[in-house]
Amino acid sequence: MPALLEVESLRAGYGPVAVLHGLDFAVPEGEIVVLLGANGAGKTTTLRALSGMISATGNVRMGGKSILGLTADRVCGLGIAHVPQGRGTFNELTVEENLDAGAYLRTDKAEVKRDIANWCEVFPVLGQRVQQRAGSLSGGEQQMLAVARALMSRPRLLLLDEPSLGLAPLVTRSLFERLTEFNRTSGTTMLVVEQNANLALGIAQSAYVLEAGTIALSGPAADLSADDSVRRAYLGF
């Protein structure tokens, strides 16, 4: 498959602290790709750089168009949606209002309403709590809302930062099953940062392992998962 996202020599950090030291990777259209690595490896920084949340240097192309240096709202307008670590739901807004906020760049209001209804069917708990404030939801429910809100923009590329963080194993598995099914039916490309390497490799076609801001390893997800030496050295299972 051709690459939807192409990243070359990506460097980023915070003030004088350099975190990424020249990353090169690609995300093929329609696939799920995972970024793995220990805490501090640069996974979250990578997603923030791609979505325009922090400044970065290098070359990043989305569908052949250079996007590095664009503001976060312009990046979103080009078809990239970001589910940040910690979910980032608007706690004082209802579930419905959060979903509507995810479509703020869209003008097809009738379709927006249909999409809200659709995501309330995909995640039935959201439908049951559609008029409830997001801050009163459980952690798993808030994560489902954060994912659905991001998908309300109908992105070509979905960036997910630690979607399993703080969730019970059963809730995590259910969320990943829904993501896999949505990728299969819609063809939406996904770049997933995840510490649960075993689970992440199970849904992905390919993977990159970050170590201290550089790519230490890459390859088909199935190959990395099956290699005992790789699992022990990099993946912790």
Side-chain angles (χ1 to χ4, degrees):
M1 293 290 290
L4 175 63
L5 182 74
E6 300 168 281
V7 178
E8 298 174 349
S9 302
L10 182 65
R11 298 177 182 274
Y14 305 94
V17 180
V19 177
L20 305 181
H21 306 286
L23 302 188
D24 296 292
F25 66 93
V27 181
E29 181 126 34
E31 291 193 5
I32 298 176
V33 175
V34 293
L35 291 178
L36 305 171
N39 284 334
K43 305 184 302 297
T44 291
T45 300
T46 300
L47 295 194
R48 288 175 175 170
L50 295 177
S51 62
M53 294 175 66
I54 61 173
S55 61
T57 62
N59 189 13
V60 179
R61 295 183 298 276
M62 169 76 171
K65 181 174 182 178
S66 178
I67 65 170
L68 206 60
L70 298 181
T71 58
D73 60 321
R74 290 188 65 191
V75 171
C76 181
L78 292 173
I80 297 179
H82 185 182
V83 181
Q85 188 180 107
R87 299 163 195 131
T89 52
F90 301 115
N91 288 339
E92 296 305 312
L93 301 183
T94 66
V95 167
E96 183 177 25
E97 289 167 340
N98 267 272
L99 293 173
D100 192 52
Y104 77 100
L105 290 176
R106 292 172 55 183
T107 58
D108 53 339
K109 298 305 181 184
E111 285 295 313
V112 167
K113 288 185 179 298
R114 277 191 279 271
D115 281 357
I116 290 175
N118 173 65
W119 291 116
C120 286
E121 289 182 9
V122 173
F123 298 106
V125 68
L126 300 183
Q128 296 164 12
R129 292 162 172 72
V130 69
Q131 296 303 326
Q132 192 169 317
R133 286 195 307 173
S136 67
L137 303 180
S138 70
E141 292 163 353
Q142 287 189 35
Q143 188 62 281
M144 293 174 190
L145 176 57
V147 170
R149 186 186 64 191
L151 291 171
M152 283 294 300
S153 67
R154 293 185 174 179
R156 296 179 67 193
L157 174 65
L158 180 65
L159 308 178
L160 290 150
D161 193 357
E162 300 284 8
S164 74
L165 186 66
L167 303 186
L170 189 62
V171 175
T172 297
R173 189 162 299 277
S174 175
L175 176 61
F176 272 62
E177 286 173 354
R178 284 174 168 82
L179 290 172
T180 305
E181 177 65 15
F182 181 69
N183 166 259
R184 186 186 67 81
T185 58
S186 72
T188 300
T189 308
M190 300 183 187
L191 179 60
V192 183
V193 160
E194 181 55 58
Q195 284 208 28
N196 188 331
N198 191 26
L199 185 59
L201 290 170
I203 70 167
Q205 285 77 42
S206 58
Y208 294 86
V209 180
L210 268 62
E211 188 173 37
T214 62
I215 293 175
L217 196 66
S218 65
D223 291 354
L224 297 189
S225 183
D227 190 317
D228 287 340
S229 62
V230 167
R231 289 166 56 182
R232 288 193 299 269
Y234 294 104
L235 307 179
F237 71 97

